[in-house]
Amino acid sequence: MRVALFVTCINDMLHPRTGQAVVALLERLGVEVGFPTEQSCCGQPQFNTGYRHAAEPLMRRFDRAFQDYEYVVTPSASCAAMVRDNYPRIGAKAAAERRGRGLVDAAAVAVPKMYELTEFLVDVLKVEDVGASFPHTVTYHPTCHGLRVLGLGDRPRRLLEHVEGLELRELPGAEECCGFGGTFAVKNPAVSAAMGADKVRHILSTGAEVVCAVDNSCLLHIGGTLSRRGAPVRPVHIAEILASTEGSVR
Amino acid sequence: MSGTYLGMPAFPRAAATATRDTRLRANLTHATRTIRDKRAKAVAELDDWAELRAAGAAVKDRTLRHLDHYLEQLEAAVTAAGGQVHWALDADEANRIVTRLVRETGETEVVKVKSMATQEIGLNEALARAGIRAYETDLAELIVQLGHDRPSHILVPAIHRNRAEIRDIFRREMASWGRPAPEGLTDSPAELAEAARLHLREKFLSAKVGISGANFMVAETGTLVVVESEGNGRMCLTLPETLISVVGIEKVVPEWQDLEIFLQLLPRSSTAERMNPYTSTWTGTTDGDGPQTFHLVLLDNGRTDTLADTVGRQALRCIRCSACLNVCPVYERAGGHAYGSPYPGPIGAILTPQLRGLAGPLEESLPYASSLCGACYEVCPVAIDIPEVLVHLRERVVQGGPVTLGGTRTVLQPAKGHAAERAAMRAAGWAFDHPGALRTGMRLAARTRRLHPRRLPGPGRVWSRTRDLPEVPAESFRDWWQRTRGTSSGRGTWAEPGTSSEPGTSSEQRGDAK
């Protein structure tokens, strides 16, 4: 099994610990992880803001970087969704614009090997108990792309429920968007802030010490809002919880 | 908030004002959450919902592909049944036709069934300019009309008003439109409904002309269908001598049997009802029963232009159920008025720019009025992939591209005001495609991290107004990998979450996680 980590640009720059956690976790589960250094951004910010053409070279780069791997695993539901949902769309549009079928083929290769981390754990490795220990109260925010585009369902929850010492707290209004939405946060700052404020209010109502998610971009927005309020809740990517062996008695 | 929809400020500005209106937000949150929960229960009762949804989308798509054929079939059937069909290319033409038809009856008052098409073309205002008074008879539309207001929701036009506000509007305004509000009117729902009933009954019984839209038109029989909850529509459709229906051309369905699908999808999605309370169907005219003159005005107003766009045309499947509004977190905070058209919420964000052709600052801002969370697509009973169309329209805004305007194929130029963003996207695209340069930039950012402010000036200000920026870690993932793994070295190190206040500082200082 040849597995590559697609760390994503945001994690590479701002959340290296999440990438490190994925490596630690997968290696603990006996998976040999590669990191092709020619990888870069999936093109989601460009595509979602309307710059489809700017996403095309990144799509080709993705294809090149991961061509030798059977599986590509990423700790970002929205980047996985970008590859799975939008790469075929970009390929089809390029073909419709008579620019050849290169991107159609690139998408066809990329889509089946792309896995979000929790999906890979549950569907491919078939594990729910990853041997983690995290003695804290945690609430889980199911991100929009994880929930609706990838259809992660209860996979992340099942993984969390097996973490030793972890107490999962129900998040009210869990399925509602946190208001980040990439450039939406900048283009519609008032609505984004209002959505973020409501999400944070719900998080605080759980009394949990930690809010976790399958995407650091949402946690960036939620964490930034929590921090501005001086709230003590820590945003932690689910990979870091699943890799944790804090206070393990096993 | 009176007046027309034109000249509305662009969405972010209008939405910023709305989010500060705490009463509006409370009204909206309460109403949308209630109806959202009820809808979810009603839909869950049907185990074939997914099949129904797919069938609804398929019928609409097939009809749209052969729209010319079905519209001609409809025209022939309506004419054969004693109705008269008029074709209106745009709002002005539709308004001129309806105004002329009302004038020919010699009447100066008409009663109206709630209709999105007549809202879209601004019919009431056009009639008023011609000296004709149009009375809205739907309770919520009545509240909006009496309040000199605009609708803010497709299904519940007065969703932004609470009971106390409605009582005040009735007391203040009813007298100038007809029967005044009863003495000592309170804000109890029953009293408010009774006041409206008494006020409206006089209109129903005196009006000689009724104006409606239609939810569906059946091509094979020439039948029109209005789906409503209060019975006021049925009064308007049966009591007057003349009935004028203004209907968008995309409302046609091929056969009577197709209604089986839509009369299940629509009520459950919109009002969370298993069956619609009042479903009225009419076919032409019948001697001695109902209106003796029937006119159907078929409205284009940007619809064939929308149809020409292979991605955007799915917006024409819309059956105006408003489920997407009720589930949309942006609509819930921004309210309906911010969208600047009778079609608010996610569907409005894709429909309005297409019908009006990305014509101005508001239309250009609407495709961005979404976080792309996908909740709208999930609830849409005819499976309109609203996020897909939003991104497609964003591309039209920033990159331009081929569009059809007024029936002519043309190439849209990129909108002004995106130059800085375009340059930034280009620079980011270049950097992401040159990892060496990107790494240099990341190292520079890491080295200067102590100097980074947590609140930004300039364009970054909007982010840091309500959120703290994250700290840039001392080492990128890529550099960590290089340092700990090199080309084929052994295991790296990883620190437990929360063991440091400084995520990302070099991990070898705090030992192996295992």
Side-chain angles (χ1 to χ4, degrees), chain A residues 41-114:
Chain A
C41 170
C42 65
Q44 187 186 183
Q46 294 84 353
F47 180 76
N48 280 354
T49 315
Y51 299 89
R52 169 167 56 92
H53 292 155
E56 290 179 355
L58 300 175
M59 197 174 148
R60 279 188 218 104
R61 169 171 289 281
F62 182 96
D63 198 41
R64 249 186 349 261
F66 297 108
Q67 59 187 346
D68 294 335
Y69 291 89
E70 190 184 350
Y71 294 101
V72 181
V73 177
T74 187
S76 165
S78 71
C79 301
M82 171 68 191
V83 172
R84 208 180 287 168
D85 208 38
N86 290 326
Y87 276 17
R89 225 168 238 163
I90 294 171
K93 280 196 172 184
E97 289 166 4
R98 294 165 201 269
R99 290 187 286 117
R101 299 191 54 81
L103 289 172
V104 176
D105 297 339
V109 172
V111 170
K113 54 170 108 167
M114 184 77 254

Coordinates of all heavy atoms in Angstrom, one line a residue, chain A residues 41-114:
Chain A
C41 N -0.9 23.5 -3.4 CA -2.3 23.8 -3.1 C -3.2 23.0 -4.0 O -2.8 22.8 -5.2 CB -2.5 25.3 -3.1 SG -4.2 25.8 -3.0
C42 N -4.4 22.6 -3.6 CA -5.3 21.9 -4.4 C -6.1 22.9 -5.4 O -6.7 22.4 -6.3 CB -6.4 21.2 -3.6 SG -7.5 22.3 -2.6
G43 N -6.0 24.2 -5.1 CA -6.6 25.1 -6.0 C -8.0 25.6 -5.6 O -8.7 26.3 -6.3
Q44 N -8.4 25.1 -4.4 CA -9.7 25.4 -3.9 C -10.0 27.0 -3.7 O -11.0 27.4 -4.2 CB -10.0 24.7 -2.5 CG -11.4 24.9 -2.1 CD -11.6 24.3 -0.7 OE1 -12.7 24.4 -0.2 NE2 -10.7 23.8 0.0
P45 N -9.0 27.7 -3.2 CA -9.3 29.2 -3.0 C -9.5 29.8 -4.4 O -10.4 30.7 -4.5 CB -8.1 29.7 -2.3 CG -7.2 28.6 -1.9 CD -7.8 27.3 -2.5
Q46 N -8.7 29.4 -5.3 CA -8.8 30.0 -6.7 C -10.2 29.6 -7.3 O -10.9 30.5 -7.7 CB -7.7 29.5 -7.6 CG -6.3 30.0 -7.2 CD -5.7 29.1 -6.1 OE1 -6.3 28.2 -5.6 NE2 -4.4 29.4 -5.8
F47 N -10.4 28.4 -7.3 CA -11.7 27.9 -7.9 C -12.9 28.5 -7.3 O -13.8 29.0 -8.0 CB -11.7 26.3 -7.9 CG -12.9 25.7 -8.5 CD1 -13.0 25.7 -9.9 CD2 -14.0 25.3 -7.8 CE1 -14.1 25.2 -10.6 CE2 -15.1 24.8 -8.4 CZ -15.2 24.7 -9.8
N48 N -13.0 28.4 -6.0 CA -14.2 28.9 -5.3 C -14.4 30.4 -5.4 O -15.5 30.9 -5.2 CB -14.2 28.5 -3.8 CG -14.6 27.0 -3.6 OD1 -15.0 26.4 -4.6 ND2 -14.5 26.5 -2.4
T49 N -13.4 31.1 -5.7 CA -13.5 32.6 -5.8 C -13.8 32.9 -7.3 O -14.1 34.1 -7.6 CB -12.2 33.3 -5.3 OG1 -11.9 32.7 -4.1 CG2 -12.5 34.8 -5.1
G50 N -13.7 32.0 -8.2 CA -14.1 32.2 -9.6 C -12.9 32.2 -10.5 O -13.1 32.5 -11.7
Y51 N -11.7 31.8 -10.0 CA -10.6 31.8 -10.9 C -10.3 30.3 -11.3 O -9.3 29.8 -10.9 CB -9.4 32.5 -10.2 CG -9.6 33.9 -9.9 CD1 -10.2 34.3 -8.7 CD2 -9.3 34.9 -10.8 CE1 -10.5 35.6 -8.4 CE2 -9.6 36.2 -10.5 CZ -10.2 36.6 -9.3 OH -10.4 37.9 -9.1
R52 N -11.2 29.8 -12.1 CA -11.0 28.4 -12.4 C -9.7 28.1 -13.2 O -9.0 27.1 -12.9 CB -12.2 27.9 -13.3 CG -12.0 26.6 -13.9 CD -13.3 26.0 -14.5 NE -14.0 27.0 -15.4 CZ -13.8 26.9 -16.8 NH1 -13.0 26.0 -17.3 NH2 -14.4 27.8 -17.6
H53 N -9.4 29.0 -14.1 CA -8.2 28.8 -14.9 C -6.9 28.8 -14.0 O -6.0 28.0 -14.3 CB -8.1 29.9 -16.0 CG -9.1 29.7 -17.0 ND1 -9.6 30.8 -17.8 CD2 -9.9 28.6 -17.4 CE1 -10.5 30.3 -18.6 NE2 -10.7 29.0 -18.4
A54 N -7.0 29.6 -12.9 CA -5.8 29.6 -12.0 C -5.6 28.3 -11.3 O -4.6 28.0 -10.8 CB -5.9 30.7 -11.1
A55 N -6.7 27.5 -11.2 CA -6.7 26.2 -10.4 C -6.1 25.1 -11.3 O -5.7 24.1 -10.8 CB -8.1 25.9 -9.9
E56 N -6.2 25.3 -12.6 CA -5.8 24.2 -13.5 C -4.3 23.8 -13.4 O -4.1 22.6 -13.3 CB -6.1 24.6 -15.0 CG -7.6 24.6 -15.2 CD -8.0 25.0 -16.6 OE1 -7.1 25.4 -17.4 OE2 -9.2 25.0 -17.0
P57 N -3.3 24.7 -13.4 CA -1.9 24.2 -13.2 C -1.7 23.5 -11.9 O -0.9 22.6 -11.8 CB -1.1 25.5 -13.2 CG -2.0 26.7 -13.3 CD -3.4 26.1 -13.6
L58 N -2.5 23.9 -10.8 CA -2.4 23.2 -9.5 C -2.9 21.8 -9.6 O -2.4 20.9 -8.9 CB -3.1 24.1 -8.4 CG -2.5 25.5 -8.3 CD1 -3.3 26.3 -7.3 CD2 -1.0 25.4 -7.9
M59 N -3.9 21.7 -10.4 CA -4.5 20.3 -10.6 C -3.5 19.4 -11.3 O -3.4 18.3 -10.9 CB -5.8 20.5 -11.4 CG -6.7 19.4 -11.4 SD -8.2 20.0 -12.4 CE -8.7 18.4 -13.0
R60 N -2.9 20.0 -12.3 CA -1.8 19.2 -13.0 C -0.7 18.8 -12.1 O -0.2 17.7 -12.1 CB -1.3 20.0 -14.2 CG -2.2 19.9 -15.4 CD -1.5 20.5 -16.6 NE -2.6 21.2 -17.4 CZ -2.7 22.5 -17.4 NH1 -1.9 23.3 -16.8 NH2 -3.7 23.1 -18.1
R61 N -0.3 19.8 -11.2 CA 0.7 19.6 -10.3 C 0.3 18.4 -9.3 O 1.1 17.6 -8.9 CB 1.0 20.9 -9.5 CG 1.9 20.7 -8.3 CD 2.4 22.0 -7.7 NE 3.3 22.7 -8.6 CZ 4.6 22.4 -8.7 NH1 5.1 21.5 -7.9 NH2 5.4 23.0 -9.5
F62 N -0.9 18.5 -8.8 CA -1.4 17.4 -7.9 C -1.2 16.1 -8.6 O -0.8 15.1 -8.0 CB -2.9 17.7 -7.6 CG -3.5 16.7 -6.7 CD1 -3.6 17.0 -5.3 CD2 -4.0 15.5 -7.1 CE1 -4.2 16.1 -4.4 CE2 -4.6 14.6 -6.2 CZ -4.7 14.9 -4.9
D63 N -1.7 16.0 -9.8 CA -1.6 14.7 -10.5 C -0.2 14.2 -10.6 O 0.1 13.1 -10.4 CB -2.2 15.0 -11.9 CG -2.6 13.7 -12.6 OD1 -3.1 12.8 -11.9 OD2 -2.3 13.5 -13.8
R64 N 0.8 15.2 -10.9 CA 2.2 14.8 -11.1 C 2.7 14.3 -9.7 O 3.4 13.3 -9.6 CB 3.0 16.0 -11.5 CG 3.5 16.0 -12.9 CD 4.4 17.1 -13.3 NE 4.5 18.3 -12.5 CZ 3.9 19.4 -12.8 NH1 3.1 19.5 -13.8 NH2 4.1 20.5 -12.0
A65 N 2.4 15.1 -8.7 CA 3.0 14.8 -7.4 C 2.6 13.5 -6.8 O 3.4 12.8 -6.2 CB 2.6 15.9 -6.4
F66 N 1.4 13.1 -7.1 CA 0.9 11.8 -6.5 C 0.8 10.7 -7.5 O 0.1 9.7 -7.1 CB -0.5 12.1 -5.8 CG -0.4 13.1 -4.7 CD1 -0.9 14.4 -4.9 CD2 0.2 12.8 -3.5 CE1 -0.8 15.3 -3.8 CE2 0.4 13.7 -2.5 CZ -0.2 15.0 -2.6
Q67 N 1.4 10.8 -8.6 CA 1.2 9.7 -9.6 C 1.7 8.4 -9.2 O 1.1 7.3 -9.6 CB 1.8 10.1 -11.0 CG 3.3 10.4 -10.9 CD 3.8 11.0 -12.2 OE1 3.1 10.9 -13.2 NE2 5.0 11.5 -12.2
D68 N 2.7 8.3 -8.3 CA 3.2 7.0 -7.9 C 2.5 6.4 -6.7 O 3.0 5.4 -6.2 CB 4.7 7.2 -7.6 CG 5.5 7.6 -8.8 OD1 5.1 7.3 -9.9 OD2 6.6 8.3 -8.6
Y69 N 1.5 7.1 -6.2 CA 0.8 6.6 -5.0 C -0.6 6.0 -5.3 O -1.3 6.5 -6.2 CB 0.7 7.7 -4.0 CG 2.1 8.1 -3.5 CD1 2.8 9.1 -4.1 CD2 2.6 7.5 -2.3 CE1 4.1 9.4 -3.6 CE2 3.9 7.8 -1.8 CZ 4.6 8.8 -2.5 OH 5.8 9.2 -2.0
E70 N -0.9 5.0 -4.5 CA -2.2 4.3 -4.6 C -3.3 5.1 -3.9 O -4.4 5.2 -4.3 CB -2.0 2.9 -4.0 CG -3.1 2.0 -4.2 CD -2.8 0.6 -3.5 OE1 -1.7 0.4 -3.0 OE2 -3.7 -0.2 -3.4
Y71 N -2.8 5.7 -2.7 CA -3.8 6.4 -1.9 C -3.2 7.8 -1.6 O -1.9 7.9 -1.3 CB -4.0 5.7 -0.6 CG -4.7 4.4 -0.7 CD1 -4.0 3.2 -0.6 CD2 -6.1 4.4 -0.8 CE1 -4.7 2.0 -0.7 CE2 -6.8 3.2 -1.0 CZ -6.1 2.0 -0.9 OH -6.7 0.8 -1.0
V72 N -4.0 8.8 -1.6 CA -3.6 10.1 -1.1 C -4.5 10.5 0.1 O -5.7 10.4 0.0 CB -3.8 11.2 -2.2 CG1 -3.3 12.6 -1.7 CG2 -3.0 10.8 -3.5
V73 N -3.9 10.7 1.2 CA -4.6 11.0 2.4 C -4.4 12.4 2.9 O -3.3 12.9 2.9 CB -4.2 10.0 3.6 CG1 -5.0 10.4 4.9 CG2 -4.5 8.6 3.2
T74 N -5.5 13.1 3.2 CA -5.4 14.5 3.6 C -6.1 14.8 4.9 O -7.3 14.3 5.1 CB -5.8 15.5 2.5 OG1 -5.5 16.8 2.9 CG2 -7.3 15.4 2.2
P75 N -5.6 15.6 5.8 CA -6.3 16.0 7.0 C -7.2 17.3 6.7 O -7.2 18.2 7.5 CB -5.2 16.3 8.0 CG -4.1 16.8 7.1 CD -4.2 16.1 5.8
S76 N -7.8 17.3 5.5 CA -8.7 18.5 5.2 C -9.8 18.0 4.3 O -9.7 17.6 3.2 CB -7.9 19.5 4.4 OG -8.8 20.4 3.8
A77 N -11.0 18.0 4.9 CA -12.2 17.6 4.2 C -12.5 18.5 3.0 O -12.9 18.0 1.9 CB -13.4 17.6 5.1
S78 N -12.2 19.8 3.1 CA -12.6 20.7 2.0 C -11.6 20.5 0.8 O -12.0 20.6 -0.3 CB -12.6 22.1 2.5 OG -11.4 22.6 2.8
C79 N -10.3 20.2 1.1 CA -9.4 20.0 0.0 C -9.7 18.6 -0.6 O -9.6 18.5 -1.9 CB -8.0 20.0 0.5 SG -7.5 21.6 1.3
A80 N -10.1 17.6 0.2 CA -10.5 16.3 -0.4 C -11.7 16.5 -1.3 O -11.8 16.0 -2.4 CB -10.8 15.3 0.7
A81 N -12.6 17.3 -0.8 CA -13.9 17.6 -1.6 C -13.6 18.4 -2.9 O -14.2 18.1 -3.9 CB -14.8 18.4 -0.7
M82 N -12.6 19.3 -2.8 CA -12.2 20.0 -4.0 C -11.7 19.0 -5.1 O -12.1 19.1 -6.2 CB -11.0 21.0 -3.6 CG -10.4 21.6 -4.8 SD -11.4 22.8 -5.7 CE -10.4 23.1 -7.1
V83 N -10.9 18.1 -4.7 CA -10.4 17.1 -5.6 C -11.5 16.2 -6.2 O -11.7 16.0 -7.4 CB -9.3 16.2 -5.0 CG1 -8.9 15.1 -5.9 CG2 -8.1 17.1 -4.7
R84 N -12.3 15.7 -5.3 CA -13.3 14.7 -5.6 C -14.5 15.3 -6.4 O -15.0 14.8 -7.3 CB -13.8 14.0 -4.4 CG -14.3 12.6 -4.7 CD -14.8 11.9 -3.6 NE -13.7 11.5 -2.6 CZ -13.9 11.1 -1.4 NH1 -15.2 11.0 -0.9 NH2 -12.9 10.7 -0.6
D85 N -14.9 16.5 -6.0 CA -16.1 17.1 -6.5 C -15.8 18.0 -7.7 O -16.5 18.1 -8.7 CB -16.8 17.9 -5.4 CG -18.3 18.0 -5.6 OD1 -18.9 17.0 -6.1 OD2 -18.9 19.1 -5.3
N86 N -14.7 18.8 -7.6 CA -14.5 19.9 -8.5 C -13.5 19.5 -9.6 O -13.5 20.1 -10.7 CB -14.1 21.2 -7.8 CG -15.3 21.8 -7.1 OD1 -16.4 21.6 -7.5 ND2 -15.0 22.4 -6.0
Y87 N -12.5 18.6 -9.4 CA -11.6 18.3 -10.4 C -12.3 17.7 -11.7 O -12.0 18.2 -12.8 CB -10.5 17.3 -9.9 CG -9.3 17.9 -9.2 CD1 -9.4 19.3 -8.7 CD2 -8.1 17.3 -9.0 CE1 -8.3 19.9 -8.0 CE2 -7.0 17.9 -8.3 CZ -7.2 19.2 -7.8 OH -6.1 19.7 -7.2
P88 N -13.2 16.8 -11.5 CA -13.9 16.4 -12.7 C -14.7 17.5 -13.4 O -14.7 17.6 -14.7 CB -14.9 15.4 -12.2 CG -14.4 14.9 -10.9 CD -13.7 16.1 -10.3
R89 N -15.2 18.4 -12.7 CA -15.9 19.6 -13.2 C -14.9 20.5 -14.0 O -15.2 20.9 -15.1 CB -16.4 20.4 -12.0 CG -17.8 20.9 -12.2 CD -18.3 21.4 -10.9 NE -19.5 20.7 -10.4 CZ -19.9 20.7 -9.2 NH1 -19.3 21.3 -8.2 NH2 -21.0 20.0 -8.9
I90 N -13.8 20.7 -13.5 CA -12.8 21.5 -14.1 C -12.3 20.8 -15.4 O -12.2 21.5 -16.5 CB -11.6 21.8 -13.2 CG1 -12.0 22.6 -12.0 CG2 -10.4 22.5 -13.9 CD1 -11.0 22.8 -10.9
G91 N -12.1 19.5 -15.3 CA -11.7 18.8 -16.5 C -12.7 18.9 -17.6 O -12.4 19.1 -18.8
A92 N -14.0 18.7 -17.2 CA -15.1 18.7 -18.2 C -15.2 20.1 -18.9 O -15.4 20.2 -20.1 CB -16.4 18.3 -17.5
K93 N -15.0 21.1 -18.1 CA -15.1 22.5 -18.6 C -14.0 22.8 -19.6 O -14.2 23.4 -20.6 CB -15.2 23.5 -17.5 CG -16.6 23.7 -16.9 CD -16.6 25.0 -16.1 CE -18.1 25.2 -15.6 NZ -18.2 26.5 -15.0
A94 N -12.8 22.3 -19.2 CA -11.6 22.5 -20.1 C -11.8 21.8 -21.4 O -11.5 22.3 -22.5 CB -10.3 22.0 -19.4
A95 N -12.4 20.6 -21.3 CA -12.7 19.8 -22.5 C -13.7 20.5 -23.4 O -13.6 20.6 -24.6 CB -13.1 18.4 -22.2
A96 N -14.8 21.1 -22.7 CA -15.8 21.8 -23.4 C -15.3 23.0 -24.1 O -15.8 23.5 -25.1 CB -17.0 22.2 -22.5
E97 N -14.2 23.6 -23.5 CA -13.6 24.8 -24.1 C -12.6 24.4 -25.2 O -11.7 25.2 -25.6 CB -13.0 25.7 -23.0 CG -14.0 26.4 -22.2 CD -13.4 26.9 -20.9 OE1 -12.2 26.9 -20.7 OE2 -14.2 27.5 -20.1
R98 N -12.6 23.1 -25.6 CA -11.7 22.6 -26.6 C -10.2 22.7 -26.2 O -9.4 23.1 -27.1 CB -12.0 23.2 -28.0 CG -13.4 22.9 -28.5 CD -13.8 23.8 -29.6 NE -15.2 23.8 -29.8 CZ -15.9 23.0 -30.6 NH1 -15.2 22.1 -31.3 NH2 -17.2 23.1 -30.7
R99 N -9.9 22.5 -25.0 CA -8.5 22.5 -24.6 C -8.0 21.1 -24.3 O -7.1 21.0 -23.4 CB -8.3 23.5 -23.4 CG -8.6 25.0 -23.8 CD -8.2 26.0 -22.8 NE -9.3 26.0 -21.8 CZ -9.1 25.7 -20.5 NH1 -7.9 25.3 -20.1 NH2 -10.0 25.8 -19.6
G100 N -8.6 20.2 -24.9 CA -8.1 18.8 -24.7 C -8.7 18.1 -23.5 O -9.4 18.7 -22.8
R101 N -8.3 16.8 -23.4 CA -8.9 16.0 -22.4 C -7.9 15.7 -21.3 O -8.1 14.8 -20.4 CB -9.5 14.7 -23.0 CG -10.6 15.0 -24.0 CD -11.3 13.7 -24.4 NE -11.8 13.0 -23.2 CZ -13.0 13.3 -22.6 NH1 -13.7 14.3 -23.0 NH2 -13.4 12.5 -21.6
G102 N -6.8 16.4 -21.3 CA -5.7 16.2 -20.3 C -6.2 16.3 -18.9 O -5.9 15.5 -18.0
L103 N -7.0 17.3 -18.6 CA -7.5 17.5 -17.2 C -8.6 16.6 -16.9 O -8.8 16.2 -15.7 CB -8.0 19.0 -17.1 CG -6.9 20.1 -17.0 CD1 -7.5 21.5 -17.0 CD2 -6.0 19.9 -15.8
V104 N -9.4 16.1 -17.9 CA -10.4 15.0 -17.6 C -9.6 13.8 -17.1 O -10.0 13.2 -16.1 CB -11.2 14.7 -18.9 CG1 -12.1 13.6 -18.7 CG2 -11.9 15.9 -19.4
D105 N -8.5 13.5 -17.8 CA -7.8 12.3 -17.4 C -7.1 12.5 -16.0 O -7.1 11.6 -15.2 CB -6.7 12.0 -18.4 CG -7.3 11.7 -19.8 OD1 -8.4 11.3 -19.8 OD2 -6.6 11.8 -20.8
A106 N -6.6 13.7 -15.8 CA -6.0 14.0 -14.5 C -7.0 13.8 -13.4 O -6.7 13.2 -12.3 CB -5.4 15.4 -14.5
A107 N -8.2 14.3 -13.6 CA -9.3 14.1 -12.6 C -9.6 12.7 -12.4 O -9.8 12.2 -11.2 CB -10.5 14.9 -13.0
A108 N -9.7 11.9 -13.5 CA -10.1 10.5 -13.4 C -9.0 9.7 -12.6 O -9.4 8.8 -11.9 CB -10.2 9.9 -14.8
V109 N -7.8 10.2 -12.6 CA -6.7 9.5 -11.8 C -6.8 10.0 -10.4 O -6.6 9.2 -9.4 CB -5.3 9.8 -12.5 CG1 -4.2 9.3 -11.6 CG2 -5.2 9.2 -13.8
A110 N -7.0 11.3 -10.2 CA -6.9 11.8 -8.8 C -8.1 11.4 -7.9 O -7.9 11.1 -6.8 CB -6.9 13.4 -8.9
V111 N -9.3 11.4 -8.5 CA -10.5 11.2 -7.7 C -10.5 9.9 -6.9 O -10.7 9.9 -5.7 CB -11.8 11.3 -8.5 CG1 -13.0 10.9 -7.8 CG2 -12.0 12.7 -9.0
P112 N -10.3 8.7 -7.5 CA -10.4 7.5 -6.7 C -9.3 7.3 -5.6 O -9.5 6.6 -4.7 CB -10.3 6.4 -7.8 CG -9.7 7.0 -9.0 CD -10.0 8.5 -8.9
K113 N -8.2 8.0 -5.7 CA -7.2 7.8 -4.7 C -7.3 8.8 -3.6 O -6.6 8.7 -2.6 CB -5.8 7.8 -5.3 CG -5.4 8.9 -6.2 CD -3.9 8.9 -6.5 CE -3.6 8.5 -7.9 NZ -2.2 8.7 -8.3
M114 N -8.1 9.8 -3.7 CA -8.2 10.9 -2.7 C -9.1 10.5 -1.5 O -10.2 10.1 -1.6 CB -8.9 12.1 -3.4 CG -8.9 13.3 -2.5 SD -7.4 14.2 -2.3 CE -6.9 13.8 -0.7

